[in-house]
Amino acid sequence: MSPAATLGTVLLAYLPAAVSPGPNFVLIAHTAAAGTRRTAVSVALGVVAAGGLLAAVAVFGLGAVLARTPWLATALRVVCGAYLAWLGIRLWLRARAPESAPPAARGGAFRQGVVSNLTNPKAAAFFGSVLTATLPPSEPAGIKVAAVALIVTASAVWHLSVALLFSAPATQRWYEHAKPALNRVVGTILVVLGVALAVTP
């Protein structure tokens, strides 16, 4: 496969994982809708930075470990799927509960974005299994670096777009009105994604 085709495959694999609703999306959207644009951008940048770190770890080491220990990859998939489903159920149950205040300081917001992505089971599942499958350890180092850069760029475009969209005044007013229904929709999607992740080899 040519380098361009390999990178195209990586991008096509990453985009659905990035844009599908998950903990990072909920955190950025809530922070943007309930707080300020600057704070939401800081959270988004934290998510992007953590994603770049996870991608680098995956393509330069984790893939080889998982290739040698298939049971670890299976365990990771099941645990992450179960956690996603649990998050979805909790979001459903707390759909009408008052939201906690978003982080006020940019430094705190950035750290919250980093922690959100580093502990995000959807990210762990993608970087630990899907990415390592589309970008085998045998690929040249240059292709791996390009793949990480491509993922960081796509992540920045998407997550910053979410921050900017949900921090618009009109969106903030809509979000406040639609929050219970939106939380139930996102919760349902998380449950479906979690179950599918856990049961699909």
Side-chain angles (χ1 to χ4, degrees):
M1 185 180 295
S2 69
T6 298
L7 294 176
T9 301
V10 169
L11 183 61
L12 289 176
Y14 174 71
L15 287 178
V19 303
S20 62
N24 292 333
F25 176 87
V26 173
L27 174 63
I28 295 171
H30 163 62
T31 303
T36 65
R37 173 166 292 179
R38 178 175 296 182
T39 304
V41 167
S42 295
V43 174
L45 290 176
V47 169
V48 172
L53 176 62
L54 289 173
V57 169
V59 300
F60 288 105
L62 183 59
V65 173
L66 293 178
R68 292 195 300 267
T69 54
W71 65 267
L72 182 59
T74 300
L76 178 66
R77 189 185 72 247
V78 171
V79 170
C80 290
Y83 185 60
L84 266 184
W86 176 77
L87 286 177
I89 293 172
R90 189 177 68 167
L91 197 59
W92 239 98
L93 295 176
R94 300 180 60 186
R96 291 188 174 275
E99 299 279 9
S100 58
R106 278 184 290 174
F110 181 85
R111 286 194 298 272
Q112 188 167 355
V114 170
V115 171
S116 173
N117 209 11
L118 289 180
T119 59
N120 179 5
K122 187 162 71 79
F126 172 79
F127 291 116
S129 57
V130 178
L131 179 58
T132 54
T134 57
L135 194 68
S138 59
E139 289 289 343
I143 298 298
K144 294 179 180 179
V145 172
V148 172
L150 186 62
I151 287 172
V152 169
T153 301
S155 175
V157 170
W158 168 246
H159 290 108
L160 289 173
S161 296
V162 173
L164 296 177
L165 172 64
F166 277 82
S167 61
T171 307
Q172 290 181 328
R173 291 191 294 270
W174 170 83
Y175 181 82
E176 182 62 28
H177 176 73
K179 182 177 73 68
L182 183 63
N183 283 356
R184 291 190 180 99
V185 170
V186 174
T188 301
I189 293 173
L190 288 177
V191 171
V192 172
L193 288 173
V195 172
L197 178 63
V199 303
T200 303

